[in-house]
Tab-separated table of all heavy atoms in Angstrom:
chain	number	residue	atom	x	y	z
A	71	MET	N	-4.413	19.539	-2.741
A	71	MET	CA	-4.816	18.251	-2.153
A	71	MET	C	-3.899	17.196	-2.775
A	71	MET	O	-3.804	17.130	-4.005
A	71	MET	CB	-6.265	17.919	-2.435
A	71	MET	CG	-6.737	16.579	-1.929
A	71	MET	SD	-6.761	16.446	-0.160
A	71	MET	CE	-8.274	17.236	0.238
A	72	ILE	N	-3.302	16.377	-1.932
A	72	ILE	CA	-2.386	15.355	-2.428
A	72	ILE	C	-2.689	13.986	-1.794
A	72	ILE	O	-3.352	13.905	-0.757
A	72	ILE	CB	-0.889	15.686	-2.169
A	72	ILE	CG1	-0.614	15.754	-0.654
A	72	ILE	CG2	-0.493	16.940	-2.880
A	72	ILE	CD1	0.863	15.797	-0.300
A	73	GLU	N	-2.256	12.941	-2.433
A	73	GLU	CA	-2.214	11.595	-1.885
A	73	GLU	C	-0.761	11.190	-1.818
A	73	GLU	O	-0.007	11.458	-2.751
A	73	GLU	CB	-3.008	10.598	-2.756
A	73	GLU	CG	-4.471	10.712	-2.669
A	73	GLU	CD	-5.197	9.652	-3.428
A	73	GLU	OE1	-4.581	8.901	-4.216
A	73	GLU	OE2	-6.419	9.542	-3.244
A	74	PHE	N	-0.407	10.575	-0.703
A	74	PHE	CA	0.987	10.133	-0.556
A	74	PHE	C	1.029	8.787	0.100
A	74	PHE	O	0.180	8.403	0.868
A	74	PHE	CB	1.797	11.141	0.213
A	74	PHE	CG	1.347	11.440	1.605
A	74	PHE	CD1	1.901	10.776	2.659
A	74	PHE	CD2	0.345	12.377	1.839
A	74	PHE	CE1	1.459	11.054	3.989
A	74	PHE	CE2	-0.112	12.653	3.119
A	74	PHE	CZ	0.462	11.999	4.181
A	75	GLU	N	2.058	8.033	-0.306
A	75	GLU	CA	2.284	6.705	0.270
A	75	GLU	C	3.758	6.437	0.230
A	75	GLU	O	4.489	6.956	-0.591
A	75	GLU	CB	1.531	5.637	-0.509
A	75	GLU	CG	1.999	5.511	-1.969
A	75	GLU	CD	1.152	4.488	-2.721
A	75	GLU	OE1	1.034	3.351	-2.264
A	75	GLU	OE2	0.652	4.836	-3.809
A	76	PRO	N	4.237	5.655	1.184
A	76	PRO	CA	5.659	5.312	1.165
A	76	PRO	C	5.947	4.339	0.028
A	76	PRO	O	5.075	3.549	-0.355
A	76	PRO	CB	5.867	4.645	2.529
A	76	PRO	CG	4.539	4.089	2.879
A	76	PRO	CD	3.544	5.037	2.305
A	77	SER	N	7.162	4.405	-0.485
A	77	SER	CA	7.533	3.489	-1.541
A	77	SER	C	7.650	2.078	-0.913
A	77	SER	O	7.756	1.948	0.277
A	77	SER	CB	8.882	3.875	-2.147
A	77	SER	OG	9.929	3.747	-1.196
A	78	THR	N	7.624	1.071	-1.765
A	78	THR	CA	7.756	-0.320	-1.268
A	78	THR	C	9.098	-0.495	-0.504
A	78	THR	O	9.133	-1.137	0.521
A	78	THR	CB	7.640	-1.286	-2.419
A	78	THR	OG1	6.408	-1.049	-3.076
A	78	THR	CG2	7.677	-2.745	-1.928
A	79	GLY	N	10.142	0.084	-1.042
A	79	GLY	CA	11.427	-0.038	-0.415
A	79	GLY	C	11.459	0.612	0.994
A	79	GLY	O	12.014	0.095	1.937
A	80	ALA	N	10.752	1.735	1.086
A	80	ALA	CA	10.664	2.400	2.412
A	80	ALA	C	9.880	1.531	3.411
A	80	ALA	O	10.220	1.477	4.587
A	80	ALA	CB	9.976	3.756	2.269
A	81	GLN	N	8.812	0.859	2.916
A	81	GLN	CA	8.093	-0.034	3.770
A	81	GLN	C	8.993	-1.166	4.300
A	81	GLN	O	8.987	-1.502	5.476
A	81	GLN	CB	6.889	-0.625	3.043
A	81	GLN	CG	5.745	0.326	2.851
A	81	GLN	CD	4.610	0.042	3.776
A	81	GLN	OE1	4.523	-0.977	4.421
A	81	GLN	NE2	3.683	0.985	3.854
A	82	TRP	N	9.751	-1.769	3.393
A	82	TRP	CA	10.636	-2.869	3.777
A	82	TRP	C	11.724	-2.380	4.744
A	82	TRP	O	12.053	-3.094	5.702
A	82	TRP	CB	11.247	-3.538	2.577
A	82	TRP	CG	10.289	-4.437	1.870
A	82	TRP	CD1	9.750	-4.263	0.647
A	82	TRP	CD2	9.719	-5.661	2.361
A	82	TRP	NE1	8.867	-5.289	0.324
A	82	TRP	CE2	8.858	-6.157	1.384
A	82	TRP	CE3	9.874	-6.371	3.538
A	82	TRP	CZ2	8.133	-7.325	1.504
A	82	TRP	CZ3	9.154	-7.550	3.699
A	82	TRP	CH2	8.322	-7.996	2.682
A	83	ASN	N	12.271	-1.212	4.517
A	83	ASN	CA	13.270	-0.649	5.432
A	83	ASN	C	12.667	-0.425	6.833
A	83	ASN	O	13.287	-0.665	7.829
A	83	ASN	CB	13.827	0.653	4.914
A	83	ASN	CG	14.816	0.418	3.796
A	83	ASN	OD1	15.332	-0.712	3.621
A	83	ASN	ND2	15.093	1.448	3.000
A	84	GLY	N	11.440	0.091	6.847
A	84	GLY	CA	10.740	0.290	8.120
A	84	GLY	C	10.518	-1.034	8.877
A	84	GLY	O	10.728	-1.100	10.099
A	85	ILE	N	10.093	-2.037	8.168
A	85	ILE	CA	9.901	-3.359	8.790
A	85	ILE	C	11.256	-3.894	9.307
A	85	ILE	O	11.330	-4.397	10.423
A	85	ILE	CB	9.269	-4.336	7.785
A	85	ILE	CG1	7.810	-3.920	7.484
A	85	ILE	CG2	9.344	-5.773	8.270
A	85	ILE	CD1	7.176	-4.681	6.330
A	86	LEU	N	12.286	-3.761	8.497
A	86	LEU	CA	13.618	-4.233	8.944
A	86	LEU	C	14.049	-3.512	10.211
A	86	LEU	O	14.456	-4.178	11.168
A	86	LEU	CB	14.619	-4.000	7.815
A	86	LEU	CG	16.036	-4.400	8.107
A	86	LEU	CD1	16.155	-5.930	8.136
A	86	LEU	CD2	16.992	-3.817	7.070
A	87	LEU	N	13.975	-2.198	10.216
A	87	LEU	CA	14.501	-1.445	11.365
A	87	LEU	C	13.595	-1.540	12.611
A	87	LEU	O	14.076	-1.477	13.728
A	87	LEU	CB	14.637	0.032	10.988
A	87	LEU	CG	15.728	0.336	9.985
A	87	LEU	CD1	15.665	1.772	9.511
A	87	LEU	CD2	17.084	-0.015	10.522
A	88	ALA	N	12.270	-1.635	12.418
A	88	ALA	CA	11.354	-1.661	13.535
A	88	ALA	C	11.068	-3.038	14.103
A	88	ALA	O	10.696	-3.143	15.282
A	88	ALA	CB	10.066	-0.974	13.143
A	89	PHE	N	11.234	-4.075	13.282
A	89	PHE	CA	10.869	-5.405	13.763
A	89	PHE	C	11.988	-6.424	13.681
A	89	PHE	O	12.293	-7.121	14.662
A	89	PHE	CB	9.667	-5.936	12.969
A	89	PHE	CG	8.451	-5.078	13.112
A	89	PHE	CD1	7.981	-4.319	12.049
A	89	PHE	CD2	7.748	-4.983	14.293
A	89	PHE	CE1	6.873	-3.499	12.179
A	89	PHE	CE2	6.637	-4.182	14.435
A	89	PHE	CZ	6.198	-3.442	13.370
A	90	VAL	N	12.629	-6.553	12.533
A	90	VAL	CA	13.596	-7.626	12.303
A	90	VAL	C	14.855	-7.429	13.168
A	90	VAL	O	15.277	-8.332	13.884
A	90	VAL	CB	13.971	-7.752	10.820
A	90	VAL	CG1	15.058	-8.790	10.614
A	90	VAL	CG2	12.724	-8.109	10.022
A	91	VAL	N	15.439	-6.228	13.118
A	91	VAL	CA	16.680	-5.973	13.883
A	91	VAL	C	16.433	-6.152	15.379
A	91	VAL	O	17.217	-6.826	16.079
A	91	VAL	CB	17.252	-4.592	13.563
A	91	VAL	CG1	18.389	-4.211	14.499
A	91	VAL	CG2	17.739	-4.519	12.099
A	92	PRO	N	15.366	-5.599	15.965
A	92	PRO	CA	15.130	-5.836	17.398
A	92	PRO	C	14.933	-7.282	17.762
A	92	PRO	O	15.442	-7.741	18.810
A	92	PRO	CB	13.870	-4.995	17.699
A	92	PRO	CG	13.808	-3.972	16.646
A	92	PRO	CD	14.402	-4.606	15.427
A	93	ILE	N	14.254	-8.069	16.934
A	93	ILE	CA	14.062	-9.496	17.200
A	93	ILE	C	15.410	-10.201	17.187
A	93	ILE	O	15.704	-11.004	18.081
A	93	ILE	CB	13.061	-10.121	16.194
A	93	ILE	CG1	11.652	-9.635	16.525
A	93	ILE	CG2	13.111	-11.661	16.303
A	93	ILE	CD1	10.610	-9.976	15.481
A	94	LEU	N	16.251	-9.918	16.199
A	94	LEU	CA	17.557	-10.525	16.125
A	94	LEU	C	18.417	-10.115	17.354
A	94	LEU	O	19.147	-10.917	17.892
A	94	LEU	CB	18.270	-10.161	14.851
A	94	LEU	CG	17.681	-10.738	13.562
A	94	LEU	CD1	18.396	-10.169	12.344
A	94	LEU	CD2	17.736	-12.246	13.599
A	95	LEU	N	18.282	-8.853	17.757
A	95	LEU	CA	19.019	-8.378	18.908
A	95	LEU	C	18.552	-9.089	20.192
A	95	LEU	O	19.410	-9.503	20.986
A	95	LEU	CB	18.787	-6.872	19.052
A	95	LEU	CG	19.463	-6.184	20.233
A	95	LEU	CD1	20.977	-6.229	20.061
A	95	LEU	CD2	19.030	-4.744	20.339
A	96	ILE	N	17.280	-9.290	20.336
A	96	ILE	CA	16.756	-9.977	21.507
A	96	ILE	C	17.242	-11.436	21.572
A	96	ILE	O	17.730	-11.899	22.583
A	96	ILE	CB	15.218	-9.888	21.558
A	96	ILE	CG1	14.791	-8.469	21.893
A	96	ILE	CG2	14.657	-10.864	22.565
A	96	ILE	CD1	13.284	-8.208	21.694
A	97	VAL	N	17.083	-12.117	20.457
A	97	VAL	CA	17.490	-13.543	20.403
A	97	VAL	C	18.971	-13.677	20.659
A	97	VAL	O	19.424	-14.517	21.449
A	97	VAL	CB	17.102	-14.151	19.018
A	97	VAL	CG1	17.717	-15.522	18.844
A	97	VAL	CG2	15.593	-14.250	18.888
A	98	THR	N	19.811	-12.815	20.017
A	98	THR	CA	21.228	-12.876	20.241
A	98	THR	C	21.636	-12.576	21.672
A	98	THR	O	22.449	-13.289	22.265
A	98	THR	CB	21.940	-11.860	19.296
A	98	THR	OG1	21.602	-12.148	17.948
A	98	THR	CG2	23.468	-11.900	19.444
A	99	ALA	N	21.014	-11.579	22.266
A	99	ALA	CA	21.343	-11.204	23.644
A	99	ALA	C	20.983	-12.342	24.589
A	99	ALA	O	21.744	-12.680	25.537
A	99	ALA	CB	20.627	-9.940	24.039
A	100	VAL	N	19.839	-12.966	24.402
A	100	VAL	CA	19.407	-14.078	25.268
A	100	VAL	C	20.368	-15.240	25.129
A	100	VAL	O	20.835	-15.825	26.089
A	100	VAL	CB	17.960	-14.506	24.950
A	100	VAL	CG1	17.653	-15.838	25.603
A	100	VAL	CG2	16.991	-13.446	25.395
A	101	LEU	N	20.717	-15.605	23.877
A	101	LEU	CA	21.618	-16.726	23.676
A	101	LEU	C	23.007	-16.479	24.233
A	101	LEU	O	23.601	-17.385	24.869
A	101	LEU	CB	21.718	-17.069	22.182
A	101	LEU	CG	20.439	-17.635	21.543
A	101	LEU	CD1	20.594	-17.820	20.046
A	101	LEU	CD2	20.014	-18.926	22.223
A	102	VAL	N	23.550	-15.286	24.062
A	102	VAL	CA	24.866	-14.951	24.599
A	102	VAL	C	24.841	-14.959	26.115
A	102	VAL	O	25.726	-15.507	26.739
A	102	VAL	CB	25.348	-13.598	24.041
A	102	VAL	CG1	26.567	-13.082	24.790
A	102	VAL	CG2	25.650	-13.723	22.568
A	103	ALA	N	23.808	-14.362	26.696
A	103	ALA	CA	23.711	-14.334	28.158
A	103	ALA	C	23.583	-15.747	28.751
A	103	ALA	O	24.202	-16.072	29.759
A	103	ALA	CB	22.540	-13.447	28.592
A	104	LEU	N	22.745	-16.576	28.100
A	104	LEU	CA	22.619	-17.959	28.608
A	104	LEU	C	23.929	-18.746	28.422
A	104	LEU	O	24.285	-19.546	29.306
A	104	LEU	CB	21.455	-18.674	27.895
A	104	LEU	CG	20.070	-18.168	28.247
A	104	LEU	CD1	19.035	-18.871	27.362
A	104	LEU	CD2	19.761	-18.346	29.723
A	105	ALA	N	24.611	-18.529	27.302
A	105	ALA	CA	25.913	-19.239	27.088
A	105	ALA	C	26.937	-18.772	28.110
A	105	ALA	O	27.865	-19.528	28.412
A	105	ALA	CB	26.369	-18.949	25.665
A	106	ALA	N	26.824	-17.549	28.567
A	106	ALA	CA	27.740	-17.032	29.549
A	106	ALA	C	27.432	-17.481	30.991
A	106	ALA	O	28.118	-17.125	31.944
A	106	ALA	CB	27.785	-15.492	29.487
A	107	GLY	N	26.350	-18.261	31.104
A	107	GLY	CA	26.001	-18.823	32.430
A	107	GLY	C	25.031	-17.978	33.230
A	107	GLY	O	24.798	-18.258	34.405
A	108	CYS	N	24.418	-16.971	32.632
A	108	CYS	CA	23.466	-16.126	33.328
A	108	CYS	C	22.145	-16.880	33.468
A	108	CYS	O	21.828	-17.770	32.669
A	108	CYS	CB	23.217	-14.831	32.606
A	108	CYS	SG	24.678	-13.785	32.489
A	109	SER	N	21.356	-16.488	34.456
A	109	SER	CA	20.042	-17.063	34.617
A	109	SER	C	19.114	-16.571	33.480
A	109	SER	O	19.431	-15.591	32.838
A	109	SER	CB	19.445	-16.730	35.988
A	109	SER	OG	19.104	-15.346	36.004
A	110	GLU	N	17.990	-17.207	33.335
A	110	GLU	CA	17.025	-16.802	32.327
A	110	GLU	C	16.487	-15.405	32.589
A	110	GLU	O	16.288	-14.612	31.631
A	110	GLU	CB	15.890	-17.803	32.252
A	110	GLU	CG	16.306	-19.159	31.707
A	110	GLU	CD	15.257	-20.237	31.865
A	110	GLU	OE1	14.220	-19.972	32.554
A	110	GLU	OE2	15.472	-21.303	31.291
A	111	LEU	N	16.313	-15.051	33.848
A	111	LEU	CA	15.835	-13.724	34.188
A	111	LEU	C	16.850	-12.640	33.778
A	111	LEU	O	16.488	-11.667	33.195
A	111	LEU	CB	15.540	-13.619	35.688
A	111	LEU	CG	15.107	-12.227	36.178
A	111	LEU	CD1	13.788	-11.838	35.524
A	111	LEU	CD2	15.030	-12.222	37.689
A	112	ILE	N	18.110	-12.912	34.089
A	112	ILE	CA	19.176	-11.946	33.725
A	112	ILE	C	19.256	-11.845	32.159
A	112	ILE	O	19.401	-10.751	31.635
A	112	ILE	CB	20.510	-12.369	34.311
A	112	ILE	CG1	20.470	-12.340	35.845
A	112	ILE	CG2	21.646	-11.491	33.837
A	112	ILE	CD1	20.124	-10.987	36.452
A	113	ALA	N	19.130	-12.982	31.502
A	113	ALA	CA	19.189	-12.984	30.048
A	113	ALA	C	18.049	-12.141	29.483
A	113	ALA	O	18.234	-11.365	28.523
A	113	ALA	CB	19.126	-14.401	29.486
A	114	ALA	N	16.862	-12.265	30.042
A	114	ALA	CA	15.704	-11.481	29.556
A	114	ALA	C	15.928	-9.993	29.845
A	114	ALA	O	15.598	-9.154	28.993
A	114	ALA	CB	14.446	-11.969	30.269
A	115	VAL	N	16.483	-9.658	30.985
A	115	VAL	CA	16.729	-8.265	31.335
A	115	VAL	C	17.789	-7.657	30.389
A	115	VAL	O	17.632	-6.523	29.897
A	115	VAL	CB	17.143	-8.105	32.835
A	115	VAL	CG1	17.662	-6.719	33.115
A	115	VAL	CG2	15.967	-8.448	33.715
A	116	VAL	N	18.811	-8.411	30.099
A	116	VAL	CA	19.868	-7.991	29.187
A	116	VAL	C	19.264	-7.743	27.794
A	116	VAL	O	19.555	-6.736	27.116
A	116	VAL	CB	21.035	-9.003	29.110
A	116	VAL	CG1	21.954	-8.713	27.950
A	116	VAL	CG2	21.823	-8.978	30.427
A	117	ALA	N	18.409	-8.664	27.340
A	117	ALA	CA	17.780	-8.532	26.014
A	117	ALA	C	16.886	-7.303	25.970
A	117	ALA	O	16.899	-6.559	24.992
A	117	ALA	CB	16.985	-9.768	25.666
A	118	ALA	N	16.090	-7.109	27.018
A	118	ALA	CA	15.198	-5.947	27.049
A	118	ALA	C	16.006	-4.618	27.062
A	118	ALA	O	15.653	-3.684	26.397
A	118	ALA	CB	14.308	-6.011	28.300
A	119	ALA	N	17.068	-4.600	27.870
A	119	ALA	CA	17.920	-3.386	27.928
A	119	ALA	C	18.578	-3.108	26.579
A	119	ALA	O	18.649	-1.999	26.111
A	119	ALA	CB	18.963	-3.547	29.019
A	120	GLY	N	19.030	-4.181	25.903
A	120	GLY	CA	19.640	-4.009	24.584
A	120	GLY	C	18.660	-3.486	23.559
A	120	GLY	O	18.973	-2.620	22.771
A	121	CYS	N	17.432	-3.990	23.616
A	121	CYS	CA	16.418	-3.527	22.689
A	121	CYS	C	16.026	-2.098	22.979
A	121	CYS	O	15.835	-1.280	22.045
A	121	CYS	CB	15.216	-4.455	22.792
A	121	CYS	SG	14.082	-4.331	21.410
A	122	ALA	N	15.894	-1.752	24.253
A	122	ALA	CA	15.565	-0.362	24.629
A	122	ALA	C	16.688	0.581	24.174
A	122	ALA	O	16.396	1.676	23.639
A	122	ALA	CB	15.345	-0.262	26.118
A	123	ALA	N	17.937	0.138	24.346
A	123	ALA	CA	19.062	0.987	23.900
A	123	ALA	C	19.021	1.161	22.400
A	123	ALA	O	19.341	2.238	21.862
A	123	ALA	CB	20.378	0.343	24.353
A	124	TYR	N	18.740	0.093	21.672
A	124	TYR	CA	18.672	0.197	20.176
A	124	TYR	C	17.613	1.225	19.787
A	124	TYR	O	17.928	2.118	18.953
A	124	TYR	CB	18.290	-1.190	19.611
A	124	TYR	CG	17.855	-1.146	18.166
A	124	TYR	CD1	18.790	-1.003	17.154
A	124	TYR	CD2	16.520	-1.204	17.819
A	124	TYR	CE1	18.394	-0.961	15.810
A	124	TYR	CE2	16.105	-1.137	16.504
A	124	TYR	CZ	17.053	-1.010	15.490
A	124	TYR	OH	16.664	-0.959	14.204
A	125	PHE	N	16.442	1.168	20.327
A	125	PHE	CA	15.380	2.149	19.952
A	125	PHE	C	15.762	3.549	20.376
A	125	PHE	O	15.499	4.515	19.666
A	125	PHE	CB	14.021	1.725	20.489
A	125	PHE	CG	13.375	0.658	19.657
A	125	PHE	CD1	13.185	-0.600	20.136
A	125	PHE	CD2	12.953	0.938	18.354
A	125	PHE	CE1	12.613	-1.611	19.376
A	125	PHE	CE2	12.373	-0.049	17.568
A	125	PHE	CZ	12.169	-1.289	18.068
A	126	PHE	N	16.393	3.685	21.550
A	126	PHE	CA	16.784	5.016	22.012
A	126	PHE	C	17.814	5.607	21.020
A	126	PHE	O	17.655	6.750	20.602
A	126	PHE	CB	17.380	4.954	23.417
A	126	PHE	CG	17.964	6.278	23.837
A	126	PHE	CD1	17.106	7.302	24.249
A	126	PHE	CD2	19.315	6.514	23.792
A	126	PHE	CE1	17.624	8.522	24.646
A	126	PHE	CE2	19.832	7.759	24.169
A	126	PHE	CZ	18.982	8.737	24.595
A	127	VAL	N	18.760	4.854	20.645
A	127	VAL	CA	19.826	5.329	19.709
A	127	VAL	C	19.191	5.642	18.361
A	127	VAL	O	19.510	6.667	17.738
A	127	VAL	CB	20.952	4.272	19.573
A	127	VAL	CG1	21.886	4.633	18.416
A	127	VAL	CG2	21.747	4.217	20.870
A	128	MET	N	18.311	4.792	17.843
A	128	MET	CA	17.712	5.026	16.545
A	128	MET	C	16.877	6.331	16.557
A	128	MET	O	17.009	7.128	15.641
A	128	MET	CB	16.796	3.866	16.156
A	128	MET	CG	17.529	2.598	15.780
A	128	MET	SD	18.622	2.780	14.357
A	128	MET	CE	17.388	2.970	13.090
Side-chain angles (χ1 to χ4, degrees):
M71 176 67 80
I72 62 168
E73 285 186 348
F74 59 97
E75 63 183 307
S77 68
T78 304
Q81 285 255 347
W82 283 112
N83 285 341
I85 290 169
L86 178 72
L87 293 172
F89 300 110
V90 176
V91 171
I93 289 170
L94 292 175
L95 180 66
I96 290 169
V97 170
T98 302
V100 167
L101 292 176
V102 168
L104 291 175
C108 297
S109 70
E110 292 170 351
L111 177 63
I112 297 299
V115 170
V116 167
C121 197
Y124 166 77
F125 280 112
F126 174 77
V127 168
M128 289 298 291

